[in-house]
C-alpha cells in the first residue's frame, strides 16, 4: 500500500475536483466526527434491483449481500492504525428495499424514483482527511494486483492519477444559490396533511389491535428535476451540509443516480470486531431562544413516550446484533442521551457487541438490515404496514450509507435527511416512529420539523406545498 501525506485541503473543496465524475463519492463528517473520505475510479461496480445483481454491468447469481461478501473476500489489506480508519474497500448505499432479499415482504405498488436497491463501488484509491489534526493522505492499495512488483507499480500509477485531479481543487467558501424554476419544478408530497394523519391513526389502530408496538411512517416530497441541471446536485449538497452539519454526510454520485445525505444517526460500526450501533428515537425542534431551547430539550428528556419508543428500538437492535455477535457481549452502555443538531434535539442510545469468529461486517449488515429505528417493532410486521400505507418504494431512504473496508472495518449510517435523484426526478422522505399514544397532528408537524433544513437547502417554501 502506497501512502502519501499532502498539504491539507478542506474535504469539501477537495471533493469539488471529482464531483463531476460518475462513481466519485464523498463521505463527509460535518461538525461531529473526525474523519472524511473522497473516493473515485472504482475497481468494480455492484448494483442490485429486485433481486437481480449486476457486477461491472453483467448479471451474476446470488443475493446482493452474498455477492458483496464474496467480492470483498477477494481482497485483503492490513490497515495502518495511524491513518483514518477507511483505507480502501466498498463505498455506496444499501437501499431500504434490499430487505426484500432478506425477508418475505410485500412489494410496494409504486416505484417513483426507480433507483437501484443497492449501488456500491469497490475502491483501491482513497483520499483520507483527519479534520481534527488537519492532515490529509492519499492512499493507493495497488489492488487487484497480487505480486509485490505489480502491486507497487499499480499503486504508484493510480496515485499519480488521483494527484493529477486533486490539483483542480479550489476553495468553495460561499453558500451556493438555491435552485430555481425550471431547475426543480412541481414539488409535492405523496400525502396531504389529512392523508398523513389518517395513516398515523391507522398505525395507532394496528398497535391497539396487537399487530405491532411501533412503526416508522414517512411522507415523500417529490419534484421533477431538469435533466441538464444535474451538475448542480453538488451545490445542493453543499447547501445542505452548510445549513445543517451532521456527523454522517455523504454525496454519492453514480451518474444519473445520486444521493445527497446529511444523517445524524450511526447504523453500524465495526472496528477490530467491536460492533456499535446508535439508534435515534425521540425528537423536538430547537427553540428560537436559549430558554425555550432548554425547555424543549428538557421536555424531550422527560418524555415517557419518547423514552419508551427509544427503548423498544434498543431491544430490537440487541436482538439483531445477537444473531452475529458472541454470546453475552451485547450491551447497552448508553440509553436515551440527548444530542442536539441544527434544527432538532434527539434521544440517542448506544448498543455494542463483539462479532462472532468467522462473521464479517457484511454478515452484520445483513443481520440488522434495515435498521430498527426506521422500521418498527416487531420489524417484519411493521415493514408490511409501512408498505401498505406509504404505497411506494423508499429507495436509499432508511437504508444505509457508508464504507466497508478491505480490513473488515465498517461504518454506516441510517440514510435519513437524504435527497435521492434519478433521471430527472428528485425526492426526500421524512417520518417518525408511531406508538400507541401518538397524536396524528403532532406526528405530521414533526415531519415538517425534520424536513426544515432540506426545504431550506432546496429553496422550498413548505407553506405552498
Amino acid at each position: 500500500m502506497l501512502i502519501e501525506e499532502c498539504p491539507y485541503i478542506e474535504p469539501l473543496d477537495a471533493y469539488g475536483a471529482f464531483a463531476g465524475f460518475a462513481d466519485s463519492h464523498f463521505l463527509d463528517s460535518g461538525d461531529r466526527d473526525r474523519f472524511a473520505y473522497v473516493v473515485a475510479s472504482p475497481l468494480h461496480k455492484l448494483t442490485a434491483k429486485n433481486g437481480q445483481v449486476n457486477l461491472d454491468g453483467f448479471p451474476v447469481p446470488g443475493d446482493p449481500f452474498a455477492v458483496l461478501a464474496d467480492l470483498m473476500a477477494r481482497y485483503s489489506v492490513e490497515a495502518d492504525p495511524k491513518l483514518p480508519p477507511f483505507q480502501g474497500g466498498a463505498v455506496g448505499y444499501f437501499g431500504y428495499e434490499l430487505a426484500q432479499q432478506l425477508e418475505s415482504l410485500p412489494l410496494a405498488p409504486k416505484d417513483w424514483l426507480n433507483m437501484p436497491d443497492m449501488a456500491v463501488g469497490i475502491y483501491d484509491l482513497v483520499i483520507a482527511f483527519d479534520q481534527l489534526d488537519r492532515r490529509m493522505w492519499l492512499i493507493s492499495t495497488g489492488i487487484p494486483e497480487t505480486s509485490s512488483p505489480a502491486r507497487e507499480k499499480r499503486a504508484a500509477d493510480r496515485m499519480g492519477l488521483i494527484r493529477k485531479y486533486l490539483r483542480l481543487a479550489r476553495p468553495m467558501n460561499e453558500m451556493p444559490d438555491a435552485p430555481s424554476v425550471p431547475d426543480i419544478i412541481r414539488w409535492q408530497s405523496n400525502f396531504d396533511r389529512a392523508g398523513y394523519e389518517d395513516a398515523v391513526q391507522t398505525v395507532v389502530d394496528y398497535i391497539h389491535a396487537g399487530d405491532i408496538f411501533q412503526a416508522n411512517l414517512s411522507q415523500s416530497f417529490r419534484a421533477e428535476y431538469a435533466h441538464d441541471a444535474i451538475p448542480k446536485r453538488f451545490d445542493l449538497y453543499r447547501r445542505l451540509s452548510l445549513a445543517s452539519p451532521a456527523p454522517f454526510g455523504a454525496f454519492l454520485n453514480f451518474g444519473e443516480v445520486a444521493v445527497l445525505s446529511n444523517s445524524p444517526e450511526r447504523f453500524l460500526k465495526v472496528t477490530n470486531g467491536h460492533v456499535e450501533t446508535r439508534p435515534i428515537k425521540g425528537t423536538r425542534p430547537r427553540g428560537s431562544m436559549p430558554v425555550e431551547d432548554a425547555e424543549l430539550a428538557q421536555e424531550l428528556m422527560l418524555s415517557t413516550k419518547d423514552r419508551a419508543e427509544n427503548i423498544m428500538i434498543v431491544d430490537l437492535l440487541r436482538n439483531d446484533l445477537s444473531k452475529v455477535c458472541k454470546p453475552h457481549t451485547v450491551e447497552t452502555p448508553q440509553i436515551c442521551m440527548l444530542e442536539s443538531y441544527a434544527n432538532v434535539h434527539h434521544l440517542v442510545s448506544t448498543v455494542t457487541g463483539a462479532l462472532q469468529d468467522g462473521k464479517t461486517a457484511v454478515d452484520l449488515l445483513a443481520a440488522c438490515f434495515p435498521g430498527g429505528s426506521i422500521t418498527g417493532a416487531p420489524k417484519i410486521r411493521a415493514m408490511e404496514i409501512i408498505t401498505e400505507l406509504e404505497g411506494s418504494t423508499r429507495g436509499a431512504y432508511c437504508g444505509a450509507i457508508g464504507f466497508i473496508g478491505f480490513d473488515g472495518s465498517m461504518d454506516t449510517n441510517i440514510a435519513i435527511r437524504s435527497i435521492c435523484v434519478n433521471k430527472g426526478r428528485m425526492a426526500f422522505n421524512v417520518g417518525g416512529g408511531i406508538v400507541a399514544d401518538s397524536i396524528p397532528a403532532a406526528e405530521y408537524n414533526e415531519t415538517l420539523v425534520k424536513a426544515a433544513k432540506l426545504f431550506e437547502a432546496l429553496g422550498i417554501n413548505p407553506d405552498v406545498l
Side-chain angles (χ1 to χ4, degrees):
M1 184 163 67
L2 185 60
I3 300 166
E4 178 182 310
E5 185 166 3
C6 302
Y8 187 78
I9 303 173
E10 292 296 337
L12 200 68
D13 298 343
Y15 181 71
F18 300 88
F21 297 101
D23 302 303
S24 66
H25 309 315
F26 178 36
L27 298 182
D28 198 357
S29 57
D31 65 346
R32 300 292 180 113
D33 204 5
R34 181 172 182 172
F35 303 115
Y37 307 96
V38 170
V39 295
S41 184
L43 287 173
H44 302 289
K45 294 189 284 186
L46 184 64
T47 61
K49 182 69 174 178
N50 298 329
Q52 175 60 61
V53 183
N54 286 277
L55 177 60
D56 299 329
F58 295 94
V60 294
D63 76 78
F65 290 102
V67 173
L68 176 61
D70 289 344
L71 187 59
M72 293 298 292
R74 297 181 190 178
Y75 310 112
S76 177
V77 174
E78 186 174 342
D80 186 332
K82 298 187 296 295
L83 299 182
F86 180 59
Q87 298 168 32
V91 176
Y93 76 82
F94 304 86
Y96 179 84
E97 273 69 42
L98 277 182
Q100 302 282 349
Q101 309 308 311
L102 301 168
E103 305 288 349
S104 178
L105 293 165
L107 291 170
K110 297 178 182 177
D111 189 358
W112 192 78
L113 273 174
N114 195 32
M115 294 179 68
D117 297 335
M118 179 176 77
V120 171
I122 307 299
Y123 293 88
D124 63 314
L125 285 172
V126 180
I127 308 175
F129 304 84
D130 181 333
Q131 298 181 104
L132 179 62
D133 291 341
R134 297 184 65 79
R135 299 178 69 185
M136 168 181 148
W137 297 266
L138 309 184
I139 301 169
S140 182
T141 65
I143 285 175
E145 298 293 347
T146 54
S147 69
S148 293
R151 180 171 283 196
E152 289 172 6
K153 182 180 185 304
R154 177 177 171 83
D157 290 345
R158 297 280 282 165
M159 181 79 81
L161 175 69
I162 205 164
R163 196 186 296 118
K164 170 185 173 183
Y165 285 105
L166 195 56
R167 295 192 191 104
L168 302 175
R170 297 291 182 271
M172 292 184 290
N173 298 322
E174 297 181 359
M175 175 78 84
D177 292 335
S180 59
V181 175
D183 288 349
I184 299 178
I185 54 177
R186 295 194 295 274
W187 277 105
Q188 59 185 5
S189 173
N190 63 330
F191 285 104
D192 58 18
R193 174 182 277 272
Y196 189 82
E197 291 181 6
D198 286 347
V200 170
Q201 186 58 52
T202 299
V203 174
V204 172
D205 292 342
Y206 273 124
I207 294 169
H208 288 306
D211 281 49
I212 53 171
F213 299 107
Q214 178 185 164
N216 184 285
L217 182 70
S218 72
Q219 62 171 319
S220 175
F221 291 95
R222 302 167 176 178
E224 303 292 327
Y225 189 69
H227 200 265
D228 59 1
I230 276 181
K232 297 181 181 179
R233 297 176 303 184
F234 185 51
D235 283 350
L236 290 180
Y237 175 75
R238 289 173 57 209
R239 286 181 58 83
L240 183 59
S241 63
L242 290 169
S244 178
F248 301 107
F251 181 82
L252 306 179
N253 177 5
F254 296 97
E256 290 187 310
V257 172
V259 181
L260 297 61
S261 184
N262 197 38
S263 174
E265 182 171 358
R266 169 167 280 138
F267 182 27
L268 294 165
K269 181 179 182 180
V270 179
T271 307
N272 297 322
H274 176 79
V275 176
E276 178 186 272
T277 181
R278 302 188 73 242
I280 290 176
K281 274 296 168 192
T283 303
R284 291 293 185 280
R286 297 298 301 265
S288 58
M289 300 294 288
V291 171
E292 180 192 18
D293 193 54
E295 289 174 347
L296 288 165
Q298 183 75 355
E299 176 188 309
L300 177 59
M301 288 292 291
L302 296 176
S303 168
T304 55
K305 169 188 176 293
D306 289 291
R307 290 181 68 85
E309 187 179 337
N310 190 295
I311 290 168
M312 272 192 280
I313 298 306
V314 166
D315 286 342
L316 189 156
L317 283 164
R318 285 173 56 87
N319 290 335
D320 283 349
L321 261 61
S322 295
K323 299 173 187 175
V324 290
C325 286
K326 295 176 181 177
H328 314 299
T329 65
V330 177
E331 299 177 341
T332 310
Q334 293 182 323
I335 288 283
C336 297
M337 304 297 290
L338 181 73
E339 290 190 3
S340 300
Y341 296 86
N343 64 316
V344 291
H345 298 291
H346 284 310
L347 290 183
V348 185
S349 295
T350 303
V351 185
T352 60
L355 274 182
Q356 297 172 20
D357 295 340
K359 294 295 185 181
T360 68
V362 178
D363 294 326
L364 174 68
L365 185 63
C368 299
F369 194 88
S373 66
I374 40 69
T375 53
K379 183 186 282 190
I380 304 306
R381 183 63 182 126
M383 293 177 72
E384 292 172 348
I385 292 169
I386 288 168
T387 299
E388 171 196 333
L389 296 177
E390 293 185 8
S392 183
T393 57
R394 287 179 162 186
Y397 174 72
C398 285
I401 292 172
F403 70 77
I404 303 173
F406 289 136
D407 64 336
S409 63
M410 178 168 71
D411 203 355
T412 59
N413 66 76
I414 297 287
I416 53 177
R417 319 289 198 274
S418 298
I419 302 167
C420 299
V421 181
N422 187 24
K423 297 179 181 177
R425 290 185 165 186
M426 174 183 293
F428 67 90
N429 289 46
V430 282
I434 312 304
V435 292
D437 54 355
S438 289
I439 300 170
E443 296 294 341
Y444 181 84
N445 291 338
E446 182 178 313
T447 68
L448 298 185
V449 169
K450 291 175 176 176
K453 291 299 180 181
L454 292 157
F455 287 143
E456 181 181 330
L458 290 161
I460 302 171
N461 178 1
D463 295 335
V464 302
L465 292 175

